[in-house]
């Protein structure tokens, strides 16, 4: 009998070390070039791995929404388990679905609005310390402030303490190291603990773990002594830690904490909690949420300020919107700004467009990967089980089929009419479906309030002679940060 002929989509025919090098050095440019040369479905090989690059919104919609069960998270995220464990981003199947159910109430609209004041408070604390004429690295500032915001919002945890600074730098190092692991021989080098980078990475994870486990133990103590009152400020009964702990307490009354001490569980209604969580799972979910919840938003806001610094007319229009909504002229003619609130968000329409356009040009998560569980048909091609799929937001968002002059920063393109006609997955900074971003509304709120708060008081000017480059890890960082000169708007 004749062998079935497998039809491969177009692409570079054989595995070439040159392609591997290009992909590891300049992944975004390489993927963009492949799509330009070969079209909406591109096939190539990396070693024995078969890769399908998909750049058609309808196919992406099917993969992420309708047929999502046929896919697992991609290879890069498998490596991320070293740091993230099996939390919401990296777990699969029932484990993922259970965790998503537990965390979901933290992201309901009413809950999200309650985080708005935290964003404005932390933004204000940050920019009140800025000095007119001085130079800051906007990326560093945003990384710090968004970490403070996520810790306070979802765990009522103030990250200003000395311990928290340790946490920040351990997290930074772990992320850098994780990026090294993505290198073709990164996982081999990782076995050699005598290498300083490897042993430092182990130390960093230990530091993160010890802080998170301490948070868990402290919270257990508070819960068990009932110090917590339902109406206490920022009601910890409904934050990330308490939800994860309640899920553990519901069906296990004889738990041990991390030091092996006996801990009595509360009797809580069990119907909404699918099964108990282990301490390791709690740790994994806390770390996951902190990383997923701050690096992405900080990159989005950083790139927004870079783009604004390159577009004075757009920046001026933004100042005018802020002035019309947040400023008041005093009797002596001076202008004062009140802090933005969540109620102002629907009025801050131009800032919303700016933020949307910025995430089009610099999508903070620039690609999504999946592993194929069972043979899967796309167009006329069967993608075999075990293959990898890549869908790149960056490549899609720069497709001139959907975006006129795609490299141009043009917030005005986002009219209601334009949005209505855009295929759903031609713009997907937050992914989609049951593995889509749980923090999407959190991120929109944070971005808009942060920009409104900072830009009420400051204009940020790009320091000349910098080579601004993208550094695509799991998220799209600016390489070497972005230095900006602060100009007070009250002058
Ligand atoms: C501009 C900001 C953000 C962007 C662009 C972004 C983007 C994304 C994307 C693309 C995914 C899906 C990845 C995939 O399908 O493989 C995702 C998942 C996720 N995001 Fe976000 N995110 C942002 C902010 C946040 C925030 C603020 C939080 C938490 C407060 C968060 C928590 C998560 C979690 C937990 C997941 C995994 C969801 C699951 O698998 O069930 N993200 N994010």
């Amino acid at each position: 009998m004749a062998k079935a002929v497998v039809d491969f989509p177009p692409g570079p025919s054989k595995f070439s070390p040159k392609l591997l090098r290009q992909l590891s050095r300049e992944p975004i440019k390489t993927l963009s070039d492949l799509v330009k040369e070969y079209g909406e479905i591109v096939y190539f090989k990396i070693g024995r791995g078969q890769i399908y690059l998909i750049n058609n919104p309808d196919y992406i919609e099917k993969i992420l929404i309708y047929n999502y069960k046929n896919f697992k998270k991609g290879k890069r995220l498998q490596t991320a388990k070293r740091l993230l464990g099996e939390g919401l981003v990296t777990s699969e199947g029932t484990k993922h679905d259970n965790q998503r159910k537990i965390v979901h109430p933290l992201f309901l609209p009413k809950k999200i609005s309650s985080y708005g004041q935290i964003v404005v408070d932390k933004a204000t604390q940050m920019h009140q310390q800025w000095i007119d004429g001085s130079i800051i690295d906007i990326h560093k500032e945003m990384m710090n402030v968004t970490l403070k915001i996520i810790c306070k919002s979802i765990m009522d945890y103030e990250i200003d303490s000395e311990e928290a600074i340790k946490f920040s730098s351990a997290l930074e190092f772990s992320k850098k190291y994780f990026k090294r692991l993505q290198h073709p021989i990164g996982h081999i080098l990782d076995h050699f603990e005598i290498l300083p980078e490897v042993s430092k990475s182990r130390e960093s994870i230990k530091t993160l773990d010890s802080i998170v486990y301490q948070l868990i133990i402290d919270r257990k103590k508070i819960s068990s002594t009932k110090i917590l009152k339902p109406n206490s400020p920022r009601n910890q009964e409904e934050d990330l830690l308490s939800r994860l702990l309640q899920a553990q307490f519901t069906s296990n009354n004889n738990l041990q904490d991390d030091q092996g001490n006996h801990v009595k569980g509360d009797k809580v209604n069990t119907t909404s909690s699918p099964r108990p969580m282990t301490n390791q799972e709690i740790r994994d979910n806390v770390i996951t949420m902190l990383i997923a919840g701050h690096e992405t938003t900080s990159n989005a806001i950083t790139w927004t300020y870079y783009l604004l610094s390159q577009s004075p007319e757009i920046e001026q229009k933004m100042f005018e919107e802020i002035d019309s909504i947040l400023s008041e002229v005093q009797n002596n003619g001076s202008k004062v700004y009140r802090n933005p609130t969540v109620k102002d968000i629907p009025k801050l329409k131009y800032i919303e467009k700016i933020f949307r356009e910025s995430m089009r040009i610099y999508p903070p998560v620039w690609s999504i990967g999946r592993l194929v569980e069972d043979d899967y048909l796309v167009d006329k091609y069967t993608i075999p089980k075990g293959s990898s799929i890549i869908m790149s937001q960056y490549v899609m968002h720069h497709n001139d089929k959907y975006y006129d002059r795609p490299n141009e920063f043009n917030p005005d393109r986002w009219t209601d009419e334009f949005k209505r006609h855009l295929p759903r997955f031609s713009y997907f900074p937050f992914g989609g479906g049951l593995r889509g971003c749980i923090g999407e509304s959190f991120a929109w709120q944070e971005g808009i309030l942060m920009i409104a708060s900072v830009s009420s008081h400051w204009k940020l000017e790009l320091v000349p002679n910098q080579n601004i480059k993208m550094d695509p890890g799991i998220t799209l960082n600016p390489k070497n940060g972005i230095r900006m000169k602060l100009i007070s708007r009250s002058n």
Side-chain angles (χ1 to χ4, degrees):
M1 204 163 64
K3 256 188 166 180
V5 178
V6 180
D7 200 4
F8 290 107
S13 49
K14 289 189 193 130
F15 165 64
S16 88
K18 189 173 159 216
L19 180 64
L20 177 62
R21 262 197 315 275
Q22 285 171 336
L23 273 169
S24 77
R25 275 192 206 143
E26 286 186 296
I28 288 184
K29 182 179 181 309
T30 310
L31 295 182
S32 305
D33 289 349
L34 285 172
V35 166
K36 259 186 220 133
E37 188 168 352
Y38 298 105
E40 292 187 330
I41 312 176
V42 184
Y43 169 76
F44 57 96
K45 285 184 87 174
I46 295 291
R48 282 202 222 136
Q50 313 214 52
I51 324 272
Y52 291 76
L53 171 61
I54 310 282
N55 198 47
N56 171 308
D58 297 339
Y59 302 151
I60 294 177
E61 183 168 20
K62 287 192 180 116
I63 292 166
L64 293 182
I65 308 265
Y66 304 114
N67 304 316
Y68 78 96
K69 283 200 170 144
N70 194 39
F71 304 97
K72 270 182 151 171
K73 287 282 180 137
K75 285 224 164 87
R76 278 193 316 159
L77 275 184
Q78 306 296 341
T79 328
K81 284 187 181 169
R82 172 77 53 95
L83 173 60
L84 302 177
E86 293 263 354
L88 195 54
V89 168
T90 43
S91 57
E92 303 283 354
T94 321
K95 186 166 192 171
H96 166 266
D97 299 349
N98 284 341
Q99 292 182 349
R100 186 136 180 155
K101 233 187 244 171
I102 291 162
V103 170
H104 178 250
L106 301 175
F107 296 95
L108 291 171
K110 201 166 156 212
K111 199 72 188 164
I112 297 276
S113 315
S114 77
Y115 307 139
Q117 191 57 45
I118 297 172
V119 176
V120 176
D121 288 348
K122 298 292 173 200
T124 310
Q125 280 163 22
M126 170 188 70
H127 69 70
Q128 275 181 346
Q129 294 188 359
W130 288 355
I131 297 166
D132 194 16
S134 65
I135 289 173
I136 52 158
D137 175 350
I138 185 69
H139 187 231
K140 244 190 208 144
E141 294 288 313
M142 287 303 144
M143 288 291 264
N144 285 339
V145 74
T146 54
L147 184 58
K148 286 179 188 169
I149 291 168
I150 191 75
C151 285
K152 183 71 183 164
S153 302
I154 63 168
M155 293 194 303
D156 202 16
Y157 180 50
E158 289 285 355
I159 196 113
D160 278 334
S161 65
E162 216 176 279
E163 189 180 57
I165 292 166
K166 242 172 49 190
F167 186 95
S168 261
S169 63
L171 191 57
E172 269 314 294
F173 187 83
S174 302
K175 284 187 302 193
K176 271 198 200 117
Y177 185 74
F178 166 69
K179 207 178 159 218
R180 288 164 57 101
L181 277 181
Q182 311 287 320
H183 190 272
I185 59 160
H187 61 286
I188 301 172
L189 296 178
D190 183 51
H191 294 297
F192 296 96
E193 289 208 25
I194 47 162
L195 295 171
E197 298 283 303
V198 177
S199 71
K200 199 174 165 200
S201 85
R202 305 282 196 272
E203 279 308 306
S204 298
I205 292 187
K206 254 190 225 157
T207 305
L208 293 174
D209 281 358
S210 69
I211 294 171
V212 172
Y213 279 128
Q214 194 55 49
L215 268 170
I216 297 171
I217 291 168
D218 288 351
R219 184 61 73 81
K220 277 181 178 172
K221 277 188 196 141
I222 294 176
S223 309
S224 67
T225 53
K226 300 271 185 234
I227 292 169
L228 204 63
K229 297 194 176 72
N231 294 323
S232 63
R234 296 270 319 116
N235 189 0
Q236 291 186 333
E237 286 198 343
E238 269 307 311
D239 72 5
L240 178 70
L241 270 177
S242 61
R243 286 203 65 76
L244 298 173
L245 287 167
Q246 278 168 27
Q248 187 178 35
F249 285 164
T250 49
S251 44
N252 190 348
N253 279 343
N254 284 306
L255 299 168
Q256 292 198 334
D257 69 16
D258 307 293
Q259 259 108 66
N261 302 320
H262 196 73
V263 181
K264 260 206 167 273
D266 281 354
K267 286 198 179 76
V268 182
N269 175 6
T270 55
T271 48
S272 62
S273 304
R275 65 170 188 78
M277 270 201 177
T278 63
N279 280 337
Q280 171 77 42
E281 282 175 315
I282 296 176
R283 171 262 175 223
D284 292 351
N285 274 291
V286 170
I287 295 254
T288 294
M289 217 42 101
L290 295 189
I291 296 177
H294 95 286
E295 170 145 324
T296 42
T297 40
S298 71
N299 282 333
I301 301 165
T302 299
W303 287 117
T304 305
Y305 275 108
Y306 169 64
L307 288 163
L308 285 169
S309 74
Q310 302 304 291
S311 315
E313 278 175 24
I314 295 170
E315 185 188 48
Q316 183 52 36
K317 207 167 150 185
M318 173 185 77
F319 288 148
E320 281 162 19
E321 177 175 273
I322 290 174
D323 290 1
S324 72
I325 294 165
L326 301 175
S327 81
E328 279 167 20
V329 181
Q330 307 259 287
N331 289 341
N332 63 5
S334 66
K335 242 191 242 169
V336 285
Y337 291 85
R338 66 171 174 82
N339 279 337
T341 69
V342 283
K343 286 203 179 120
D344 294 313
I345 291 176
K347 291 180 259 167
L348 293 164
K349 286 193 170 65
Y350 195 59
I351 292 189
E352 195 258 0
K353 285 182 182 176
I354 286 173
F355 198 48
R356 188 179 293 278
E357 176 73 344
S358 156
M359 287 193 283
R360 181 186 70 77
I361 296 190
Y362 293 109
V365 174
W366 61 277
S367 80
I368 293 181
R370 291 290 186 266
L371 288 173
V372 181
E373 291 272 270
D374 271 320
D375 288 3
Y376 184 72
L377 192 70
V378 174
D379 194 22
K380 57 182 179 176
Y381 305 107
T382 300
I383 303 186
K385 173 184 171 151
S387 311
S388 295
I389 287 184
I390 302 177
M391 297 155 283
S392 167
Q393 286 95 329
Y394 188 95
V395 178
M396 180 68 79
H397 292 183
H398 290 78
N399 189 334
D400 59 12
K401 187 167 165 188
Y402 307 110
Y403 302 99
D404 184 32
R405 283 177 289 178
N407 294 328
E408 190 178 299
F409 178 50
N410 176 14
D412 287 313
R413 73 170 84 233
W414 291 101
T415 60
D416 291 342
E417 176 75 3
F418 177 72
K419 284 197 269 184
R420 248 196 313 281
H421 288 103
L422 211 53
R424 181 163 173 199
F425 280 86
S426 53
Y427 183 76
F428 62 119
F430 296 96
L434 281 184
R435 298 308 305 245
C437 182
I438 201 165
E440 176 170 354
S441 312
F442 187 113
W444 279 109
Q445 174 175 285
E446 185 176 10
I448 294 169
L449 289 177
M450 178 67 66
I451 295 166
S453 173
V454 167
S455 296
S456 292
H457 302 275
W458 298 95
K459 174 179 161 62
L460 273 61
E461 252 180 36
L462 188 71
V463 173
N465 304 323
Q466 290 182 77
N467 186 7
I468 306 296
K469 272 181 128 177
M470 295 182 290
D471 183 15
I474 286 271
T475 62
L476 193 58
N477 292 287
K479 201 171 187 141
N480 309 320
I482 300 185
R483 283 180 304 126
M484 296 267 186
K485 185 173 174 186
L486 297 168
I487 316 282
S488 169
R489 288 195 62 217
S490 50
N491 288 337

